[in-house]
């Protein structure tokens, strides 16, 4: 090498040697720099479909709509009402209908068969609660009713920040958890049909008990 440095004819060969070395270094090192570790194949996570959204609330899908009138709301109570408010109206209707059915049956049975309290309370049903000793009996009745009403409070939406006098959307109207005979159908269609029958009977009973009370008020005597 020192010999070549002293003579100019060796310089081209030295430059050629440097170029060859540089080319070898790039051709041998570049592939190593480009080599990547082989990664194990990634198994894609199973795709879980989101549960379908519940259908939008529609008052016309509720039980209680039957012929010949179909959907009957002449005063428009449900026009701008929320789901919670409509459920409140339905709960009120169910409670009044059930009480009216019991009252209508009570008029019929009580005026013909009244063995309680010695069987001496033989008066029209509309004033039977005023007769002694029923006046002391009614506080116990009111206590029993209040227990049911206290439990029904939990079906309401919270009045703090929410809509007052409205029922939770997940609450099933009229469901008190009382079905000792197991009459509640498991099919949604059959349940809707039974709920419609209960509502229609309750509506009829509300008219019936109003007529019974009015008749006894007008005549002052028993109906049965």
């Amino acid at each position: 090498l020192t010999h070549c440095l002293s003579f100019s004819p060796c310089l081209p060969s030295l430059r050629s040697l440097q170029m060859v070395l540089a080319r070898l270094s790039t051709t041998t090192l570049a592939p190593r720099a480009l080599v990547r570790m082989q990664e194990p194949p990634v198994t894609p996570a199973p795709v879980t479909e989101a549960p379908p959204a519940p259908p939008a609330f529609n008052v016309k899908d509720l039980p209680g709509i039957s012929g010949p009138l179909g959907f009957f709301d002449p005063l428009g109570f449900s026009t701008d009402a929320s789901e919670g408010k409509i459920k409140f109206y339905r709960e009120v209707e169910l409670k009044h209908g059930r009480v009216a059915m019991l009252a209508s049956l009570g008029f019929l049975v009580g005026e013909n068969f009244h063995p309680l309290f010695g069987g001496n309370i033989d008066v029209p049903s509309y004033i039977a609660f005023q007769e002694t000793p029923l006046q002391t009996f009614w506080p116990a009745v009111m206590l029993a009713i209040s227990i049911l009403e206290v439990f029904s409070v939990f079906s309401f939406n919270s009045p703090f920040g929410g809509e007052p006098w409205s029922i939770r959307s997940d609450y099933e109207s009229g469901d008190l958890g009382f079905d000792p005979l197991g009459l509640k159908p498991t099919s949604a269609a059959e349940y809707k049909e039974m709920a419609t029958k209960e509502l229609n009977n309750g509506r009829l009973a509300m008219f019936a008990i109003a007529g019974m009370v009015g008749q006894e008020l007008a005549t002052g005597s028993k109906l049965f």
Side-chain angles (χ1 to χ4, degrees):
L1 181 60
T2 56
H3 175 73
C4 291
L5 290 174
S6 60
F7 296 96
S8 57
C10 293
L11 291 177
S13 60
L14 179 60
R15 291 176 181 174
S16 300
L17 179 61
Q18 290 176 345
M19 292 175 63
V20 170
L21 291 175
R23 185 174 298 176
L24 289 174
S25 62
T26 56
T27 56
T28 56
L29 295 180
R32 293 182 181 179
L34 295 175
V35 171
R36 300 179 61 184
M37 296 296 294
Q38 184 177 5
E39 298 179 355
V42 178
T43 303
V47 179
T48 57
E49 297 182 359
F57 176 78
N58 187 354
V59 65
K60 295 184 180 181
D61 293 334
L62 293 177
I65 302 174
S66 57
L69 298 177
F71 180 72
F72 184 74
D73 184 19
L75 299 181
F77 284 108
S78 62
T79 302
D80 298 322
S82 64
E83 178 182 359
K85 184 65 70 174
I86 290 176
K87 280 182 168 287
F88 172 72
Y89 293 153
R90 173 49 52 89
E91 194 72 10
V92 170
E93 182 183 22
L94 275 169
K95 285 184 178 181
H96 282 79
R98 290 168 176 175
V99 170
M101 285 188 282
L102 289 174
S104 300
L105 183 62
F107 264 59
L108 175 62
V109 175
E111 291 189 355
N112 291 282
F113 182 71
H114 39 80
L116 299 179
F117 307 105
N120 299 321
I121 304 175
D122 189 12
V123 295
S125 294
Y126 81 99
I127 58 172
F129 72 96
Q130 300 175 350
E131 299 297 315
T132 306
L134 287 183
Q135 290 178 354
T136 58
F137 171 73
W138 278 104
V141 174
M142 298 302 296
L143 177 62
I145 294 174
S146 66
I147 293 174
L148 295 176
E149 287 300 312
V150 167
F151 280 106
S152 70
V153 169
F154 299 104
S155 64
F156 283 78
N157 287 317
S158 174
F160 303 103
E163 183 181 16
W165 301 106
S166 62
I167 302 292
R168 302 193 326 264
S169 59
D170 60 340
Y171 175 74
E172 189 174 344
S173 300
D175 186 6
L176 301 178
F178 182 76
D179 185 21
L181 300 179
L183 299 177
K184 181 180 178 180
T186 56
S187 169
E190 292 178 357
Y191 174 75
K192 185 176 182 180
E193 181 182 359
M194 178 174 283
T196 299
K197 291 178 180 178
E198 181 187 21
L199 284 164
N200 287 338
N201 281 279
R203 291 162 181 169
L204 177 60
M206 285 188 277
F207 281 107
I209 193 62
M212 291 178 183
V213 173
Q215 182 71 15
E216 290 196 350
L217 282 172
T219 62
S221 59
K222 298 194 304 181
L223 282 175
F224 305 102

